């Protein structure tokens, strides 16, 4: 093996892959079998950097050669950059070597499109197949599904990968047309629909036949780039909501656009990466998936943009002061979940603990409630309610004065993996 050449390829293809953030490895229950390598069920330690990116996987492109010319992408065909391509065997060897050295828990493999979708997808599948069959590798594998690849290849990919993802890239069809005129949104939707059907079919099959092979046990995800096109947060979140509901996605990843290319259709090169916005979108996404919020409660025609100064739950609360205060000792779980400063776990603990005694501020603090926020929105045993005659705006100012958000500095750069 020519180590220098491999290292050079690794530098190029890991660097090109860092713009894809859809690499979290949650949700797989693949077990180590036959004394093989790795264990995706509990061997994966999620390691997130300050800006929320996952670093526990070997995250590379098979190649950064591409026949497309998407304006937002460093690998676009008209960008004058160094190109490289791994062979299938090189990716397999790297994964095994890195895994044995404990550098990684799995592989995230994407690719530019060379020749055509099937030609590329076939190679991605081949990597996963070799790892599973020849090396008995039980670590986590996330494969990018190449839009336009045949259903046979997608089906095969699902047999070896834990997660598959098709990137929507832009939140709307209009955004995609603007920046990637060669691409067609339907080419992304079709494989997502196919994967969804296969995952459902496999779940049913597993109920009947315990030994039926797994198909993409960690489901499918997608990524949208925010800030490259002028879509509002309302458009971004409505699009995410649509795909969660209709395609059973495990995750939508929001990637703040990193301006690396000069193009009159794109934000200027010195535009800051919208990291705060990206973080607020993740928080809003969390509210939709775990806190029972409807997308229109978070963003709507009156409020199409998320408030960058405060989190979306606090933002909703101060716009809906008529819903408060709520009595923490009586309110339903769903209502408690809407209180700023009370997370999912704390809300569940409150409901469990109040069966034995009425809760006051001290107990709430012990449970983990951020009382510096929650005190404006609840009453408890002490009956002391801190809102008094404050308006939502007053509360926002008080809370902002107290908190030093780690995301407030909008200057972080992209993560360098190697
Ligand atoms: S198809 Fe993918 S790799 Fe190719 S230019 Fe578009 S975004 Fe980049």
């Amino acid at each position: 093996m020519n180590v220098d050449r491999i290292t050079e390829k690794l530098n190029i293809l890991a660097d090109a892959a860092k713009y894809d953030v859809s690499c979290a490895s949650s949700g797989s229950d693949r077990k180590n079998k036959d004394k093989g390598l790795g264990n995706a069920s509990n061997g994966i330690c999620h390691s997130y950097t300050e800006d929320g990116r996952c670093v526990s996987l070997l995250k590379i492109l098979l190649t950064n050669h591409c026949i497309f010319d998407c304006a937002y992408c460093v690998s676009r065909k008209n960008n004058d950059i160094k190109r490289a391509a791994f062979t299938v065997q090189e990716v397999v060897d790297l994964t095994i070597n890195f895994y044995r050295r404990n550098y990684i828990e799995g592989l995230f493999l994407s690719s530019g499109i060379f020749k055509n979708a099937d030609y590329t997808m076939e190679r991605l599948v081949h990597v996963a197949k070799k790892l599973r069959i020849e090396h008995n590798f039980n670590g986590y594998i996330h494969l990018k599904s190449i839009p336009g690849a045949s259903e046979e290849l997608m089906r095969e990919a699902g047999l070896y990968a834990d997660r598959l993802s098709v990137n929507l890239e832009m939140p709307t069809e209009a955004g995609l047309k603007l920046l990637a005129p060669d691409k067609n949104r339907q080419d992304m939707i079709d494989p997502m629909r196919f994967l969804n059907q296969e995952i459902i079919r496999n779940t049913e099959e597993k109920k009947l036949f315990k030994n039926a092979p797994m198909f993409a046990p960690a489901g499918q995800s997608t990524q949208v780039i925010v800030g490259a096109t002028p879509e509002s947060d309302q458009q971004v979140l409505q699009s995410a909501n649509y795909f969660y509901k209709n395609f059973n996605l495990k995750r939508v990843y929001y990637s703040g656009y990193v301006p690396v290319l000069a193009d009159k259709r794109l934000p200027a090169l010195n535009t800051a990466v919208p990291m705060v916005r990206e973080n607020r979108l993740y928080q809003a996404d969390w509210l939709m998936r775990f806190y029972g919020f409807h997308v229109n409660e978070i963003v709507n025609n009156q409020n199409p943009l998320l408030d960058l100064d405060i989190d979306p739950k606090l933002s909703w609360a101060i716009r809906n002061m008529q819903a408060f205060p709520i009595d923490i000792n009586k309110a339903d779980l769903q209502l408690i979940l809407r209180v700023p400063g009370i997370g999912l776990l704390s809300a569940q603990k409150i409901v469990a603990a109040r069966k034995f005694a009425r809760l006051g501020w001290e107990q709430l603090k012990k449970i983990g409630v951020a009382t510096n926020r929650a005190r404006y929105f609840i009453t408890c045993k002490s009956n002391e309610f801190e809102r008094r005659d404050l308006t939502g705006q007053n509360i926002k100012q008080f809370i902002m004065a107290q908190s030093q958000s780690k995301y407030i500095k909008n200057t972080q750069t992209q993560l360098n993996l190697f």
Side-chain angles (χ1 to χ4, degrees):
M1 194 200 302
N2 181 337
V3 176
D4 289 345
R5 180 61 190 137
I6 294 289
T7 307
E8 189 187 7
K9 286 186 189 182
L10 192 55
N11 284 335
I12 295 170
L13 296 170
D15 191 63
K18 73 186 178 190
Y19 301 99
D20 197 321
V21 297
S22 54
C23 64
S25 52
S26 55
S28 173
D29 60 356
R30 182 182 298 278
K31 302 278 191 301
N32 191 323
K33 54 178 195 230
D34 304 330
K35 297 198 172 127
L37 277 174
N39 186 341
S41 65
N42 51 18
I44 286 187
C45 151
H46 293 128
S47 173
Y48 292 96
T49 57
E50 273 291 285
D51 58 1
R53 284 169 165 78
C54 171
V55 291
S56 61
L57 309 175
L58 171 61
K59 183 178 173 186
I60 49 174
L61 300 188
L62 186 64
T63 180
N64 63 346
H65 286 281
C66 193
I67 56 173
F68 284 96
D69 202 32
C70 310
Y72 48 84
C73 178
V74 279
S75 302
R76 63 190 280 190
K77 73 175 173 196
N78 284 327
N79 196 21
D80 185 15
I81 50 163
K82 255 190 169 175
R83 306 277 172 176
F86 281 122
T87 63
V88 167
Q89 193 58 46
E90 283 169 346
V91 177
V92 170
D93 291 344
L94 271 176
T95 307
I96 295 298
N97 283 333
F98 277 23
Y99 193 88
R100 287 203 167 117
R101 290 178 195 185
N102 243 347
Y103 293 169
I104 55 161
E105 285 91 7
L107 171 69
F108 172 90
L109 185 61
S110 182
S111 184
I113 301 171
F114 52 138
K115 288 198 182 172
N116 57 51
D118 270 355
Y119 187 86
T120 311
M121 191 73 206
E122 202 175 342
R123 273 144 192 80
L124 298 183
V125 172
H126 202 180
V127 169
K129 187 174 181 177
K130 265 179 164 281
L131 282 168
R132 295 284 190 231
I133 306 281
E134 291 179 18
H135 295 271
N136 200 11
F137 179 76
N138 289 295
Y140 184 83
I141 299 180
H142 180 155
L143 287 189
K144 268 288 122 127
S145 308
I146 305 297
S150 71
E151 292 186 351
E152 287 70 32
L153 283 168
M154 301 286 274
R155 190 175 288 115
E156 211 184 345
L159 294 177
Y160 304 116
D162 292 277
R163 176 166 288 181
L164 295 164
S165 56
V166 184
N167 282 356
L168 281 168
E169 308 291 12
M170 293 299 137
T172 61
E173 192 162 1
L176 190 71
K177 275 273 155 286
L178 177 71
L179 297 184
D182 303 337
K183 280 187 169 172
N184 181 347
R185 195 161 167 100
Q186 200 57 42
D187 285 344
M188 298 157 185
I189 292 175
D190 288 344
M192 285 167 106
R193 181 169 290 117
F194 175 75
L195 289 176
N196 186 33
Q197 286 163 355
E198 286 298 298
I199 290 168
I200 293 171
R201 195 179 58 74
N202 183 251
T203 310
E204 293 304 314
E205 207 171 78
K206 294 279 291 171
K207 283 183 199 157
L208 295 174
F209 310 103
K210 217 167 157 265
N211 292 330
M214 290 193 289
F215 184 90
Q220 62 166 328
S221 60
T222 191
Q223 169 181 275
V224 288
I225 298 169
V226 290
T229 40
E231 284 97 350
S232 65
D233 296 323
Q234 183 185 14
Q235 287 172 295
V236 174
L237 288 170
Q238 277 177 340
S239 171
N241 185 50
Y242 173 81
F243 283 95
Y244 275 129
K245 290 223 149 56
N246 293 287
F247 297 86
N248 250 319
L249 295 189
K250 287 280 186 201
R251 289 293 300 272
V252 174
Y253 291 90
Y254 307 92
S255 175
Y257 173 65
V258 183
V260 284
L261 297 163
D263 187 306
K264 60 181 186 326
R265 293 166 291 174
L266 289 166
L269 276 177
N270 57 0
T271 308
V273 180
M275 298 303 294
V276 182
R277 183 182 180 199
E278 184 185 291
N279 181 51
R280 296 294 178 224
L281 284 166
Y282 278 115
Q283 290 173 324
D285 184 282
W286 206 255
L287 293 185
M288 294 194 303
R289 289 190 298 137
F290 302 112
Y291 285 76
F293 280 80
H294 189 276
V295 60
N296 293 337
E297 293 181 283
I298 303 167
V299 276
N300 46 47
N301 291 343
Q302 287 73 47
N303 303 285
L305 302 177
L306 295 169
D307 189 334
L308 296 185
D309 292 331
I310 53 173
D311 67 80
K313 187 153 85 162
L314 179 58
S315 177
W316 174 84
I318 64 172
R319 292 199 309 267
N320 291 276
M321 291 304 287
Q322 74 286 352
F324 301 102
I326 68 154
D327 184 343
I328 214 72
N329 286 300
K330 289 187 184 150
D332 289 344
L333 176 68
Q334 285 308 317
L335 266 182
I336 297 174
L337 282 173
R338 291 187 168 235
V339 177
I342 301 185
L344 195 55
L345 215 59
S346 300
Q348 287 163 346
K349 283 185 187 167
I350 287 169
V351 172
R354 72 186 183 188
K355 286 184 191 149
F356 304 101
R358 281 170 51 75
L359 307 177
W361 295 114
E362 280 315 306
Q363 288 94 335
L364 290 174
K365 272 186 200 159
K366 279 187 191 147
I367 278 172
V369 171
T371 50
N372 60 337
R373 292 171 164 245
R375 67 186 182 187
Y376 300 106
F377 303 98
I378 58 176
T379 56
C380 59
K381 187 175 149 195
S382 74
N383 269 338
E384 184 191 343
F385 173 47
E386 298 267 348
R387 191 177 96 197
R388 295 181 293 271
D389 53 355
L390 298 176
T391 64
Q393 281 310 313
N394 293 146
I395 294 171
K396 177 178 172 180
Q397 296 307 330
F398 282 143
I399 291 178
M400 278 179 65
Q402 286 169 356
S403 57
Q404 285 273 322
S405 172
K406 64 182 173 180
Y407 295 102
I408 220 74
K409 291 230 173 302
N410 197 2
T411 52
Q412 286 137 317
T413 53
Q414 284 273 349
L415 166 73
N416 196 347
L417 276 176
F418 297 97

